[in-house]
Amino acid sequence: DMKVTQMPRYLIKRMGENVLLECGQDMSHETMYWYRQDPGLGLQLIYISYDVDSNSEGDIPKGYRVSRKKREHFSLILDSAKTNQTSVYFCASSSGQGDEQYFGPGTRLTVL
Amino acid sequence: QQKVQQSPESLTVSEGAMASLNCTFSDGTSDNFRWYRQHSGKGLEVLVSIFSDGEKEEGRFTAHLNRASLHVSLHIREPQPSDSAVYLCAMYYAQGLTFGLGTRVSVFP
């Protein structure tokens, strides 16, 4: 069964703290994505990774960075989190660009 | 302005009636469209992917694409209460998917 996992599912941090969101997939997909979902704005693409150490900015990369050292893992890092980064973050993977994207269950991040 | 616009914002249907959702997009350059479903507090589940004008059926879900009209629709046949969710239309562009804001569908017995 194809699966994308995200950890943690819920996270509360204070402004200025560092945040690490982790994503895993068991499908050997080359391409992985990070999105955030906010009311009134919908899903917005933060970063794409085309494979290990091959990452590209999406539409809203400011304030975020990513790391992909293994094909099956893709991390989203917030250095010094801000209150406006409170959101639900989704990871997705696909076998290639334009192919079906499979989504994880999301991480609800609250920055106080 | 959102590249993908969905209507209606919300829809209430009776169990067994047809539900119809609409999506218009800002340009006709993409040939890669998808409908996703998102139950409350959950991730996205792909329902139908459509890549050419015409119709694509996946079980009770049928998508219709008309790129000349910049329009893609989703029809849900015999909706059930378990189909109550937010339905998201997405269009593939250079880097990835761009999503509409969704249609909230409520199905009552």
Side-chain angles (χ1 to χ4, degrees), chain A residues 5 11 30 32 44 48-49 58 72-73 90 92 99 101 111:
Chain A
T5 57
L11 187 61
E30 288 184 352
M32 297 185 74
Q44 299 175 86
I48 303 176
S49 174
E72 61 269 24
H73 291 130
F90 287 98
D99 293 331
Q101 290 188 26
V111 182

Side-chain angles (χ1 to χ4, degrees), chain B residues 76-87:
Chain B
I76 308 172
R77 180 168 43 85
E78 298 179 358
Q80 301 157 10
S82 58
D83 292 322
S84 295
V86 175
Y87 288 77

Side-chain angles (χ1 to χ4, degrees), chain A residues 73-84:
Chain A
H73 291 130
F74 189 33
S75 301
L76 181 69
I77 302 137
L78 288 65
D79 295 313
S80 187
K82 300 172 182 54
T83 55
N84 62 7

Side-chain angles (χ1 to χ4, degrees), chain B residues 80-105:
Chain B
Q80 301 157 10
S82 58
D83 292 322
S84 295
V86 175
Y87 288 77
L88 296 164
C89 170
M91 175 181 78
Y92 187 82
Y93 69 114
Q95 287 190 293
L97 291 172
T98 187
F99 288 84
L101 296 182
T103 293
R104 183 174 297 278
V105 175

Side-chain angles (χ1 to χ4, degrees), chain A residues 24-75:
Chain A
Q25 49 99 357
D26 62 2
M27 298 167 275
S28 297
H29 283 168
E30 288 184 352
T31 310
M32 297 185 74
Y33 312 79
W34 277 106
Y35 295 88
R36 63 178 283 178
Q37 186 177 37
D38 301 285
L41 295 176
L43 276 148
Q44 299 175 86
L45 180 64
I46 306 172
Y47 264 96
I48 303 176
S49 174
Y50 299 108
D51 211 330
V52 172
D53 285 330
S54 178
N55 306 317
S56 179
E57 294 180 347
D59 297 323
I60 53 162
K62 188 176 178 182
Y64 303 94
R65 62 184 174 93
V66 292
S67 175
R68 192 164 178 206
K69 298 301 182 185
K70 293 183 178 181
R71 180 172 280 190
E72 61 269 24
H73 291 130
F74 189 33
S75 301

